[in-house]
Amino acid sequence: MEALLETSAREPVAPPPPLFNFARHLFQLNEARASKVAYIDDYGAMTYGELEQRARRCASALRALGVHPEERVLLVMLDTVSLPVAFLGALYAGIVPVVANTLLSAADYTHMLTHSHARAVIVSEPLLPNVTEALSSIDDDGCQPIVSQPHASIEAPLAAPRFETLVDTALPAGKGCASNADDIAFWLYSSGSTGKPKGTVHTHANLYWTAELYAKPVLGIVESDVVFSAAKLFFAYGLGNALTFPLSVGATAILMAERPTAEAIFARLVRHRPTVFYGVPTLYANMLVSPNLPARADVAIRVCASAGEALPRDVGERFTAHFGAEILDGIGSTEMLHIFLSNRAGEVEYGTTGRPVPGYEVELRDEAGRPVPDGEVGDLFIKGPSAALMYWSNREKTRATFLGEWIRSGDKYRRLANGCYVYAGRSDDMLKVSGQYVSPVEVEMVLVAHPAVLEAAVVGVDHGGLVKTRAFVVLKRDFMPSDLLAEELKTFVKERLAPHKYPRDIVFTDDLPKTATGKIQRFKLREQS
């Protein structure tokens, strides 16, 4: 990128040099912080000096196994210190890490292994059964399994080599791979909120841009921060939160291998007192209704971020009232790597996704590709320097999404007169009821404002050839399903939205199907209807 991109009127950001390896970049940034703690996981800590040395040893170990630059290695790893070591070690060697969702089935891993042609797979021991099954079902026997046991006190006999042992016994790699800024660095698979995941290909420079354009100027992350992301590292959001951002400023990151329940989050917030916390709307809602919610004095949060789904206004307002910290709701995507539209500290407008992050451009377009006026719903298009190159081996989807400098997000938004953007749902989730468009998200936001409702998802169902709305509702713990409550919820929506938008059916359910990143999978709800 030739021109400087600005994070504000006063702070132009220069692009990375053409010869640029992101792992080398981080190691050089943190040379003077060798003794500072970079990571704390469930069993211990790792300093910046140890992180660099182990990543460079990992680079040597992968090369010794016969994995060459530009070849892929699949990472099916829990959030422990071994995952940043593997990711940065692969980057340093010019090898392409493919970070995979840890909650998938053997069939999903079979798809990823065959689709990526991975030459090795590093897998956390608790996840080994599904990966072993996946490996047994593919024809290519050139993919080597490597098992991660970062905190094993006694090394159990394994058929595959142990990742930590390979790293311990390797010599640190020298200068690392002389990568270019626009070289392929890593892949992430899309979350699958609309179906089959796609292999999204990113460059070394893309990681740099997310830190420079969002983390530093919007979050205001600095070296003294302690950060904690409930979103896992395999998620584009989590990778930025817990790796790119803290390591770009010399901060300390907390990692948690277990599932991000409200109670697990509270334990880390109180024990480690992170100053920056990253969550998703469902988690924030569950935290607020938990009887174990910590007092404001027991935590040290100064700012929070939210992504994955639109944050309900009520959840944001109640969280800030309790903890005193704002939640900066934003939207990012696997294709753009991190958040490109966000609220700002001191300027938060709950119920909106804020304004474009400086350095990114957004447009709302109608079905003919024309700009839509303020107040009307349009398809969201984004332009910015962290955009992915393509979907691997998927020309049709690539051509439909990557349109020159612009990316079609698949999201619907409307822009308010003050410049803030309001989420209106996924493009393929929009409903036409009584000849008029209905945004499921708009209805869901009203439903969750009812004191009985914890979560809600709205889909369209066929009633004699006509589309009607059906709401799947998760109640708070003190409320019970009933016909009376269902009618009350319908009336609650009618009183706040146009009459044609209220849900004709209310289905009470214990939970909603979601991706591991917290996005509601409405297509699964439609299949149930």
Side-chain angles (χ1 to χ4, degrees), residues 4-80:
L4 298 181
L5 291 180
E6 295 191 355
T7 57
S8 74
R10 301 184 305 275
E11 300 179 10
V13 176
L19 193 64
F20 182 79
N21 179 294
F22 188 71
R24 290 176 61 182
H25 166 71
L26 290 180
F27 299 155
Q28 290 165 2
L29 283 178
N30 294 299
E31 281 180 342
R33 300 187 182 100
S35 61
K36 183 180 179 182
V37 172
Y39 282 106
I40 301 171
D41 68 9
D42 296 339
Y43 297 93
M46 179 175 287
T47 67
Y48 272 95
E50 291 168 337
L51 177 63
E52 176 180 351
Q53 283 299 306
R54 293 192 69 76
R56 290 173 59 190
R57 288 174 183 272
C58 172
S60 290
L62 290 174
R63 293 297 298 274
L65 289 171
V67 186
H68 300 105
E70 301 186 7
E71 292 183 331
R72 272 77 64 193
V73 55
L74 190 68
L75 307 183
V76 187
M77 303 178 72
L78 300 173
D79 278 22
T80 70

Side-chain angles (χ1 to χ4, degrees), residues 310-528:
L311 180 75
R313 180 192 300 273
D314 176 64
V315 172
E317 290 174 346
R318 287 191 292 124
F319 188 93
T320 298
H322 182 83
F323 286 113
E326 293 177 315
I327 302 176
L328 308 186
D329 189 27
I331 183 174
S333 67
T334 307
E335 293 78 8
M336 292 302 294
L337 190 54
H338 213 276
I339 290 171
F340 52 81
L341 188 63
S342 178
N343 279 273
R344 307 288 200 285
E347 304 174 12
V348 169
E349 294 199 33
Y350 287 127
T352 80
T353 316
R355 298 174 173 84
V357 172
Y360 295 89
E361 295 180 44
V362 302
E363 287 186 0
L364 299 183
R365 304 176 187 175
D366 63 17
E367 293 178 359
R370 298 170 300 214
V372 301
D374 285 354
E376 292 189 13
V377 173
D379 291 301
L380 180 69
F381 288 74
I382 319 105
K383 179 168 68 173
S386 63
L389 296 175
M390 60 181 160
Y391 298 129
W392 187 263
S393 191
N394 195 332
R395 182 175 176 81
E396 180 182 0
K397 292 289 187 182
T398 295
R399 293 181 69 180
T401 301
F402 299 91
L403 308 173
E405 293 184 292
W406 293 91
I407 282 184
R408 186 198 308 271
S409 73
D411 295 297
K412 294 277 191 181
Y413 265 87
R414 59 187 174 89
R415 184 180 184 271
L416 304 180
N418 65 3
C420 287
Y421 287 74
V422 178
Y423 185 58
R426 291 288 298 174
S427 298
D428 49 8
D429 287 332
M430 291 293 286
L431 307 174
K432 203 165 192 178
V433 179
S434 301
Q436 301 177 73
Y437 278 109
V438 175
S439 163
V441 172
E442 184 181 24
V443 182
E444 291 161 9
M445 289 294 190
V446 173
L447 283 168
V448 297
H450 189 281
V453 177
L454 178 62
E455 292 183 284
V458 174
V459 300
V461 296
D462 189 317
H463 280 261
L466 297 175
V467 175
K468 302 294 182 182
T469 48
R470 173 172 294 168
F472 291 81
V473 173
V474 179
L475 296 176
K476 295 177 182 176
R477 67 179 66 203
D478 295 331
F479 294 86
M480 296 294 292
S482 69
D483 292 341
L484 183 63
L485 180 55
E487 292 304 314
E488 181 181 330
L489 292 177
K490 292 178 185 179
T491 301
F492 187 78
V493 175
K494 286 181 186 177
E495 291 173 347
R496 289 158 177 79
L497 295 178
H500 71 280
K501 296 183 179 181
Y502 86 93
R504 270 53 171 185
D505 298 320
I506 301 287
V507 177
F508 295 107
T509 183
D510 292 334
D511 53 45
L512 298 174
K514 298 187 186 76
T515 69
T517 60
K519 294 181 182 179
I520 296 171
Q521 294 175 309
R522 291 179 182 82
F523 72 95
K524 289 189 176 180
L525 294 174
R526 286 193 291 268
E527 292 170 357
Q528 296 176 20

Side-chain angles (χ1 to χ4, degrees), residues 261-270 286-296 298-299 322-323 477:
T261 62
E263 281 62 36
I265 297 301
F266 297 155
R268 276 77 180 178
L269 293 180
V270 172
N286 287 335
M287 290 168 65
L288 288 170
V289 299
S290 170
N292 301 316
L293 184 69
R296 180 186 297 195
D298 293 332
V299 304
H322 182 83
F323 286 113
R477 67 179 66 203

Side-chain angles (χ1 to χ4, degrees), residues 84-119:
V85 167
F87 184 84
L88 294 174
L91 291 187
Y92 195 75
I95 293 165
V96 178
V98 180
V99 191
N101 186 331
T102 60
L103 303 176
L104 300 180
S105 66
D108 292 316
Y109 295 132
T110 298
H111 165 71
M112 291 181 177
L113 288 165
T114 55
H115 179 251
S116 67
H117 298 290
R119 306 317 302 160

